[in-house]
Amino acid sequence: HDFIGEFSTSYREMCRSQSQFHVYEVLNPKKKGKKKKKYLNSGTVTLLSCLVDTELSFLDYIRGGTQINFTVAIDFTASNGNPSQPTSLHYMSPYQLNDYAMALRAIGEIIQDYDSDKMFPALGFGAKLPPDGRVSHEFPLNGNPQNPYCNGIDGVMEAYYQSLKSVRLYGPTHFSPVINHVARYASAVTDGSQYFILLIISDGVITDMAQTKESIVNAASLPMSIIIVGVGPAEFDEMIELDGDEERISSQGRYAERDIVQFVPFRDYIDRRGSHILSMARLAKEVLAEIPDQFLSYMRTRGIKPGPQPPPYTPCPPPAIHPLHTRRSSLEASEHKVNFTRCLMLHFQECLAVMGSPDLDASMFLATGLCSWVFEGLWWFEITGLYREEI
């Protein structure tokens, strides 16, 4: 290819083209440098318009006021095993969390930071409920159908443990009722002000696969995402199929508008050294990785922009203090320091007596710098707790 020429411009100059045309001369330095030749240019480039497209992020929408609504659905089918037995996936050990609890806490504690009221609906499926023993695939863990909300992840955990004591694990494993439950709420708010995330934790084979696919295809056009965590040693072929990373999920000839499902098997993220903290961190990182892109795909296809961001925080100046009041406060603080130091020395002397060294002077310990913390106002260490009231 032959070099024709070049021209330079700036971002600011191109932005002016939103209201007027710009014509740029294309110059070739070699031709321009030759003498005795009437060279003007090698052509022109006309900029007709300039459009600046801002790359919006997940956090732009959160700052603009979009609320994240988090719902939990837990598998209470009999394939999990008797909760009173250590081999059960629902076993309530006094020493450590089971896989369900670890997955719930790992994901929930991150998502709850994006939810302003921290109130989460928590559902169960596949259990026989008291008092009549009817099988339910969509029951509130707190036992209140009119208000299934739990206060924070700690509230969800408490409701989960209480349900294990009151319901009877049964079956089969149906996903579609809990997906439809969240979809009903998501369909009522499609303006981008709210986004719904459903976490399903289950141990095995889905028995309503056709209905689940249909529910996901319908939900793909709504502001919602679905996280599925598989626990236990079972094969998760159906859950992998629902993920839709390799092939978009379809139902009765209809394809999902977008990929809204993320599936991970919990066993792949268990730390081999037995660290539950690392296991939970790895799981949370993996399952939440796709949420921002799924969120943004919904907003972009609907042309929804973030709401206006709140003004930056500006701290108020401290109130003016009268000089006499300042002097009096300083004197009082000095008296408190003296009283506290006296109490601390007495306490050290008592400690030394207990240790059998009454001849040592407590002032020796003060000289080591321990009480410099006190004089800086950092008197929170354990010994000082005995004397806070006196100060």
Side-chain angles (χ1 to χ4, degrees):
H1 300 287
D2 293 332
F3 176 69
I4 298 175
E6 62 187 17
F7 71 93
S8 62
T9 184
S10 66
Y11 168 77
R12 182 176 297 177
E13 187 176 335
M14 288 191 293
C15 286
R16 296 196 193 105
S17 299
Q18 294 177 351
S19 58
Q20 59 186 4
F21 295 158
H22 270 278
V23 178
Y24 301 95
E25 284 191 323
V26 178
L27 302 177
N28 189 319
K30 291 182 179 180
K31 293 181 180 180
K32 187 178 180 181
K34 290 183 179 180
K35 297 180 179 180
K36 297 180 181 181
K37 189 173 182 181
K38 296 179 179 180
Y39 174 77
L40 295 178
N41 57 53
S42 298
T44 60
V45 172
T46 303
L47 179 63
L48 300 178
S49 64
C50 176
L51 176 64
V52 179
D53 187 16
T54 304
E55 187 74 19
L56 297 171
S57 71
F58 173 73
L59 289 180
D60 288 329
Y61 288 89
I62 299 300
R63 294 191 196 100
T66 298
Q67 289 292 313
I68 301 297
N69 297 297
F70 179 54
T71 302
V72 177
I74 296 178
D75 184 340
F76 282 82
T77 56
S79 56
N80 287 282
N82 188 335
S84 64
Q85 301 297 321
T87 54
S88 172
L89 295 170
H90 281 305
Y91 179 60
M92 293 186 291
S93 169
Y95 306 109
Q96 63 186 34
L97 299 175
N98 62 38
D99 285 1
Y100 279 90
M102 276 197 284
L104 177 57
R105 187 169 287 282
I107 300 166
E109 286 188 343
I110 294 176
I111 292 180
Q112 74 174 355
D113 290 336
Y114 298 94
D115 191 303
S116 60
D117 62 6
K118 306 288 190 294
M119 298 297 291
F120 308 123
L123 308 173
F125 57 91
K128 282 189 173 183
L129 307 184
D132 55 359
R134 66 181 180 86
V135 178
S136 174
H137 300 289
E138 181 191 346
F139 64 90
L141 296 188
N142 64 3
N144 188 349
Q146 282 71 42
N147 184 14
Y149 291 85
C150 299
N151 188 6
I153 293 305
D154 288 336
V156 175
M157 298 286 288
E158 182 180 354
Y160 162 60
Y161 289 134
Q162 289 299 321
S163 291
L164 286 175
K165 298 175 184 178
S166 61
V167 305
R168 179 185 169 193
L169 275 58
Y170 199 69
T173 306
H174 289 178
F175 279 11
S176 59
V178 292
I179 295 174
N180 294 335
H181 175 98
V182 177
R184 285 194 295 271
Y185 288 92
S187 63
V189 192
T190 58
D191 60 354
S193 62
Q194 298 186 48
Y195 194 85
F196 296 78
I197 298 176
L198 169 62
L199 169 63
I200 302 176
I201 311 176
S202 180
D203 78 318
V205 179
I206 304 170
T207 51
D208 67 335
M209 192 64 174
Q211 294 88 339
T212 296
K213 284 184 176 181
E214 183 179 3
S215 297
I216 293 173
V217 170
N218 293 334
S221 61
L222 301 174
M224 69 177 283
S225 292
I226 301 170
I227 299 170
I228 303 175
V229 176
V231 296
E235 296 299 324
F236 299 116
D237 294 340
E238 290 90 351
M239 298 183 189
I240 294 172
E241 183 180 348
L242 296 178
D243 193 303
D245 282 344
E246 297 181 0
E247 183 179 351
R248 188 67 58 87
I249 192 172
S250 64
S251 173
Q252 299 179 357
R254 295 170 53 232
Y255 282 85
E257 180 181 314
R258 58 195 181 93
D259 177 20
I260 65 169
V261 179
Q262 166 76 338
F263 165 73
V264 294
F266 186 37
R267 59 177 176 243
D268 290 357
Y269 301 93
I270 295 177
D271 182 65
R272 301 306 172 194
R273 293 166 294 180
S275 171
H276 288 172
I277 295 176
L278 281 177
S279 300
M280 292 164 65
R282 290 170 178 170
L283 176 68
K285 179 179 181 293
E286 180 66 21
V287 300
L288 296 174
E290 293 187 12
I291 294 297
D293 287 339
Q294 293 175 1
F295 175 96
L296 290 172
S297 71
Y298 177 82
M299 299 299 180
R300 287 169 183 157
T301 55
R302 300 299 186 279
I304 298 173
K305 301 295 183 182
Q309 297 188 14
Y313 171 73
T314 52
C316 298
I321 302 176
H322 194 277
L324 290 178
H325 180 72
T326 304
R327 183 173 179 272
R328 184 165 57 250
S329 298
S330 300
L331 290 172
E332 291 172 353
S334 298
E335 292 175 1
H336 289 165
K337 289 178 182 177
V338 171
N339 291 337
F340 176 70
T341 304
R342 188 180 301 115
C343 293
L344 188 61
M345 291 179 69
L346 290 173
H347 182 68
F348 271 128
Q349 197 71 56
E350 292 172 1
C351 292
L352 293 171
V354 171
M355 291 187 295
S357 303
D359 53 323
L360 292 178
D361 188 354
S363 61
M364 293 175 60
F365 289 88
L366 298 179
T368 62
L370 289 173
C371 282
S372 66
W373 297 354
V374 179
F375 296 143
E376 294 299 326
L378 301 177
W379 50 284
W380 43 261
F381 53 101
E382 185 176 355
I383 295 175
T384 66
L386 299 172
Y387 300 104
R388 288 186 185 180
E389 292 184 3
E390 184 163 342
I391 290 179

Coordinates of all heavy atoms in Angstrom, one line a residue, residues 10 43 56 76 81 131 162 172 195 206 232 234 245-246 250 261 270 288 302 314 322 344 385 390:
S10 N -7.9 16.3 17.6 CA -8.1 16.0 19.0 C -9.5 15.6 19.4 O -10.4 15.9 18.6 CB -7.7 17.3 19.9 OG -8.6 18.3 19.7
G43 N -5.4 15.4 -0.5 CA -6.9 15.1 -0.4 C -7.4 15.7 0.9 O -6.6 16.3 1.7
L56 N -20.7 1.9 30.0 CA -21.3 1.9 31.4 C -20.9 0.6 32.1 O -20.8 -0.4 31.5 CB -22.8 2.0 31.3 CG -23.3 3.3 30.7 CD1 -24.8 3.3 30.4 CD2 -23.0 4.5 31.6
F76 N -34.7 -29.4 49.6 CA -35.0 -30.2 50.8 C -35.5 -31.6 50.4 O -36.3 -32.2 51.1 CB -36.1 -29.5 51.6 CG -35.6 -28.4 52.4 CD1 -35.4 -27.1 51.9 CD2 -35.3 -28.6 53.8 CE1 -35.0 -26.1 52.7 CE2 -34.8 -27.5 54.6 CZ -34.6 -26.3 54.0
G81 N -30.1 -36.9 52.3 CA -29.8 -37.6 53.4 C -30.4 -37.1 54.7 O -30.8 -35.9 54.7
P131 N -48.8 -29.2 59.1 CA -49.0 -30.4 59.9 C -49.6 -31.5 59.1 O -49.6 -32.6 59.7 CB -50.1 -29.8 60.9 CG -50.9 -28.8 60.1 CD -49.9 -28.2 59.2
Q162 N -34.0 -23.7 61.1 CA -35.3 -24.0 61.7 C -36.1 -24.9 60.8 O -36.8 -25.8 61.3 CB -36.0 -22.7 62.0 CG -35.4 -21.9 63.2 CD -35.4 -22.7 64.5 OE1 -36.4 -23.4 64.8 NE2 -34.3 -22.5 65.3
P172 N -40.2 -34.8 44.5 CA -38.9 -34.8 43.7 C -38.3 -33.4 43.6 O -38.7 -32.5 44.3 CB -39.4 -35.2 42.4 CG -40.8 -34.7 42.3 CD -41.4 -34.8 43.7
Y195 N -33.2 -5.3 39.9 CA -32.7 -6.5 39.2 C -32.8 -7.6 40.3 O -32.4 -7.4 41.4 CB -31.3 -6.3 38.7 CG -30.9 -7.3 37.7 CD1 -31.2 -7.2 36.4 CD2 -30.1 -8.4 38.1 CE1 -30.8 -8.1 35.5 CE2 -29.7 -9.4 37.2 CZ -30.1 -9.3 35.9 OH -29.7 -10.2 35.0
I206 N -32.6 -32.9 38.2 CA -33.8 -32.1 38.1 C -34.9 -33.0 37.5 O -34.7 -33.5 36.4 CB -33.5 -30.9 37.2 CG1 -32.3 -30.1 37.8 CG2 -34.8 -30.0 37.1 CD1 -31.9 -28.9 36.9
G232 N -22.6 -31.9 46.8 CA -22.6 -33.3 46.9 C -21.8 -34.0 45.7 O -21.3 -33.3 44.8
A234 N -23.0 -36.0 43.2 CA -23.8 -36.5 42.1 C -23.3 -35.8 40.8 O -22.5 -34.9 40.8 CB -25.3 -36.1 42.3
D245 N -23.7 -21.8 28.4 CA -22.5 -21.1 27.9 C -22.1 -21.6 26.5 O -21.7 -20.8 25.7 CB -21.3 -21.4 28.9 CG -21.4 -20.5 30.1 OD1 -22.1 -19.5 30.1 OD2 -20.7 -20.9 31.1
E246 N -22.3 -22.9 26.3 CA -22.0 -23.4 25.0 C -23.1 -23.4 24.0 O -22.9 -23.2 22.8 CB -21.5 -24.9 25.1 CG -20.2 -25.0 26.0 CD -19.8 -26.5 26.1 OE1 -20.4 -27.3 25.5 OE2 -18.8 -26.7 26.8
S250 N -33.2 -23.6 25.0 CA -34.4 -23.4 24.3 C -35.6 -24.2 24.8 O -35.3 -25.2 25.6 CB -34.2 -23.7 22.8 OG -33.9 -25.1 22.7
V261 N -28.2 -17.9 33.3 CA -27.9 -19.0 34.3 C -26.4 -19.2 34.4 O -25.7 -19.3 33.4 CB -28.6 -20.3 33.9 CG1 -28.3 -21.4 34.9 CG2 -30.1 -20.1 33.8
I270 N -13.8 -26.6 46.7 CA -13.4 -26.9 48.1 C -11.9 -26.9 48.2 O -11.2 -27.6 47.5 CB -14.0 -28.3 48.5 CG1 -15.6 -28.2 48.5 CG2 -13.5 -28.7 49.9 CD1 -16.2 -29.5 48.8
L288 N -20.3 -15.4 41.0 CA -20.7 -14.0 40.8 C -20.0 -13.3 39.6 O -20.3 -12.2 39.2 CB -20.4 -13.2 42.0 CG -21.2 -13.6 43.3 CD1 -20.7 -12.8 44.5 CD2 -22.7 -13.4 43.1
R302 N -32.4 -3.0 26.5 CA -33.6 -2.2 26.7 C -33.4 -0.8 26.6 O -34.3 0.1 26.8 CB -34.2 -2.5 28.1 CG -34.6 -4.0 28.4 CD -35.7 -4.4 27.4 NE -36.2 -5.8 27.7 CZ -35.6 -6.9 27.3 NH1 -34.5 -6.9 26.7 NH2 -36.2 -8.0 27.6
T314 N -19.6 15.7 51.0 CA -18.8 16.8 51.5 C -19.0 16.9 53.0 O -20.1 17.3 53.4 CB -19.1 18.1 50.8 OG1 -20.5 18.4 50.9 CG2 -18.7 18.1 49.3
H322 N -16.2 27.8 71.6 CA -15.8 29.0 72.4 C -14.4 28.7 73.0 O -14.2 27.6 73.5 CB -16.8 29.4 73.4 CG -16.6 30.8 74.0 ND1 -15.6 31.0 75.0 CD2 -17.1 32.0 73.7 CE1 -15.7 32.3 75.3 NE2 -16.6 32.9 74.5
L344 N -4.1 3.1 86.6 CA -3.3 2.1 85.9 C -2.1 1.6 86.7 O -1.8 0.4 86.7 CB -2.9 2.7 84.5 CG -2.3 1.7 83.5 CD1 -3.3 0.5 83.2 CD2 -1.9 2.4 82.3
G385 N -10.3 -1.5 80.7 CA -11.7 -1.8 80.8 C -12.2 -1.7 82.3 O -13.3 -1.4 82.6
E390 N -14.5 5.0 86.0 CA -13.9 6.0 86.8 C -13.5 7.2 86.0 O -13.6 8.4 86.5 CB -12.7 5.4 87.5 CG -12.1 6.4 88.5 CD -11.2 5.6 89.5 OE1 -11.3 4.4 89.7 OE2 -10.4 6.3 90.1

